[in-house]
Amino acid sequence: MMKGEDDVEVPDEVEGQLIPEKSSNGVAKKRTTARKLKARDPAKRTMRRKKKESSSEVFIKYAALFLLVAQMVGLVLLMRYSRTSRSDDEPMYLASTAVFIMEVMKLVICCMVIAYQSAGNLLSELNTHVIEAPMELLKLSVPSFLYCVQNNLLYLALTNLDAATYQVCYQLKILTTAVFSAILLQRKFSAKKWFSLVVLTVGVSIVQVSGSQDESNKEESNKRFIGLVAVLCAACTSGFSGVYFEKILKGSQTSLWIRNVQMGLPSVLVAILTVYAKDSALVAKQGFFQGYSPIVWTVVTVQAVGGLIVAVVVKYADNVLKVFATSFSIVVSCILSAIFFDFHASSAFLVGASLVIVATVLYSQPEKKKRRKPVLPTTIKK
């Protein structure tokens, strides 16, 4: 037997492995063996591969983050501008037609991605997952309908609210998502998360009460009220449809692009029905594309591509970066609204917006899991 530094007994068969062979080239043998073991070790090969990929992944992560902030801020400001910058003699474009075109664009983009991933077998994929799966389409028609309603509500909200107030109030979708997650998915939340949701609600309430415009004008006051109701309803539909979609996705092997197509088909149908149920007289009088300008086409395109940007961010960016993007987009929206839209933030608005940002950061912090102390086995002395 051989004993180590701490007088631990080592078996004879292991002792032979620990003592190197005595030979003239013993040092060279050790180095060769170490190189072989290092080359064979899959964990070390993976670490080297990760180091090589880290720089490209970091670039993609922050590029996706930049695109998400640009999409969040750009879409809201462009939508607000498109709804308020027209002259009196120029017709306003119809929100229902914009939603329909956006849904068609998203459907076409998803089909193109599926065709690329399936090496041109788009028709086969659609036949398998759409025509032969009518129940899947029926299940997804619920979030499809709600997303269509939500998009129409967002146009209504930004017609009547400034971009900064909209950005802050729309963060209530965090609260509605949490509530519906607790109801539909039986998800448990810590006391810190519930506290952050309370802070979020208080912050949004302060922003709603503060008012960023002169409310002595009754017409402006009514417009602001309509905008707030629209954004609150949009937050509710966003929370429920998101949780419902998550519940359907759990345990499913269908790709996200196929799911988007399955949702896109009912969405296109609901959107075109909304056009003719709500604005059929205006369409018949002034045409389907009344009021469309390059800015309107840009809004529709950015909204359609925005979902793809979010998908890229979910894949490459972590939760901290997504929260940073949300908080940063609120700040940027306030600054740009003050520069381009004559937005004047009151002290109450700034307090409420700060509370919303703090609540968003608190809610998104990962929970610390309590480590269980290991139970040592007891030995009975004979």
Side-chain angles (χ1 to χ4, degrees):
M1 290 285 195
M2 180 186 77
K3 292 196 176 183
E5 291 179 344
D6 297 325
D7 295 333
V8 179
E9 292 188 355
V10 181
D12 294 332
E13 60 271 15
V14 179
E15 184 178 351
Q17 298 174 14
L18 294 175
I19 301 175
E21 295 181 15
K22 293 181 181 178
S23 62
S24 58
N25 59 347
V27 178
K29 273 188 176 182
K30 283 183 189 178
R31 288 177 179 171
T32 307
T33 307
R35 285 196 198 100
K36 287 181 179 178
L37 290 173
K38 191 176 180 181
R40 290 175 186 171
D41 190 356
K44 290 182 179 178
R45 285 204 307 271
T46 305
M47 289 296 293
R48 287 199 299 272
R49 197 180 300 118
K50 282 185 178 179
K51 286 180 181 178
K52 289 179 182 177
E53 294 174 355
S54 60
S55 58
S56 61
E57 285 187 356
V58 166
F59 174 76
I60 293 173
K61 180 187 294 186
Y62 285 98
L65 174 66
F66 173 78
L67 288 174
L68 181 60
V69 173
Q71 192 266 343
M72 284 180 174
V73 177
L75 176 62
V76 172
L77 293 177
L78 284 172
M79 196 180 290
R80 173 67 177 170
Y81 179 77
S82 69
R83 302 298 286 179
T84 57
S85 64
R86 66 184 179 88
S87 58
D88 293 335
D89 58 343
E90 188 179 350
M92 170 74 78
Y93 72 95
L94 301 175
S96 58
T97 60
V99 171
F100 170 75
I101 296 169
M102 182 266 296
E103 293 293 348
V104 172
M105 281 186 179
K106 283 170 61 177
L107 184 61
V108 171
I109 293 171
C110 290
C111 287
M112 290 171 64
V113 173
I114 294 170
Y116 173 77
Q117 291 181 342
S118 62
N121 294 323
L122 175 62
L123 295 178
S124 175
E125 292 289 329
L126 293 179
N127 181 65
T128 303
H129 297 286
V130 176
I131 298 174
E132 296 180 1
M135 290 306 297
E136 293 297 316
L137 290 179
L138 188 61
K139 284 193 295 184
L140 288 167
S141 62
V142 175
S144 300
F145 171 76
L146 291 175
Y147 279 129
C148 188
V149 171
Q150 174 191 336
N151 287 322
N152 279 280
L153 286 171
L154 295 184
Y155 277 98
L156 178 61
L158 281 166
T159 305
N160 297 282
L161 281 180
D162 57 86
T165 304
Y166 164 84
Q167 279 278 41
V168 174
C169 293
Y170 194 48
Q171 298 311 310
L172 269 182
K173 63 184 179 181
I174 299 173
L175 173 64
T176 59
T177 302
V179 171
F180 287 121
S181 295
I183 296 171
L184 297 178
L185 302 178
Q186 305 299 313
R187 190 166 288 164
K188 305 294 181 184
F189 296 100
S190 64
K192 185 176 79 171
K193 285 194 180 292
W194 285 117
F195 173 73
S196 66
L197 292 174
V198 172
V199 174
L200 175 72
T201 307
V202 171
V204 172
S205 301
I206 292 174
V207 169
Q208 289 177 353
V209 173
S210 69
S212 61
Q213 300 175 354
D214 182 13
E215 303 230 347
S216 58
N217 188 339
K218 188 175 180 181
E219 183 181 353
E220 289 295 327
S221 179
N222 290 336
K223 286 177 64 178
R224 182 176 174 81
F225 176 76
I226 292 170
L228 289 172
V229 172
V231 77
L232 291 178
C233 292
C236 291
T237 55
S238 173
F240 180 81
S241 53
V243 173
Y244 185 89
F245 189 52
E246 181 184 348
K247 189 174 183 180
I248 292 175
L249 284 179
K250 279 193 171 182
S252 174
Q253 301 299 321
T254 309
S255 73
L256 187 61
W257 299 106
I258 292 290
R259 286 296 187 195
N260 282 329
V261 170
Q262 291 174 336
M263 285 184 62
L265 290 171
S267 294
V268 169
L269 180 61
V270 171
I272 194 64
L273 289 175
T274 303
V275 170
Y276 288 99
K278 180 186 171 196
D279 299 315
S280 58
L282 290 172
V283 170
K285 183 180 179 181
Q286 297 181 333
F288 194 88
F289 296 103
Q290 59 172 298
Y292 273 70
S293 64
I295 288 292
V296 177
W297 283 109
T298 304
V299 169
V300 174
T301 305
V302 170
Q303 194 175 15
V305 178
L308 305 180
I309 294 174
V310 172
V312 172
V313 172
V314 168
K315 183 176 181 181
Y316 290 103
D318 55 18
N319 198 43
V320 176
L321 288 176
K322 286 184 283 184
V323 173
F324 175 78
T326 302
S327 304
F328 191 63
S329 65
I330 293 174
V331 176
V332 173
S333 294
C334 293
I335 295 172
L336 294 180
S337 295
I339 296 172
F340 296 108
F341 295 99
D342 196 26
F343 169 74
H344 302 287
S346 63
S347 57
F349 177 90
L350 294 176
V351 170
S354 301
L355 287 176
V356 169
I357 293 173
V358 170
T360 305
V361 173
L362 276 177
Y363 182 82
S364 302
Q365 285 180 347
E367 295 292 335
K368 293 182 179 179
K369 295 182 179 179
K370 295 181 180 179
R371 294 183 178 179
R372 293 182 180 180
K373 294 182 178 180
V375 181
L376 298 176
T378 55
T379 55
I380 302 173
K381 293 183 179 180
K382 292 184 180 180

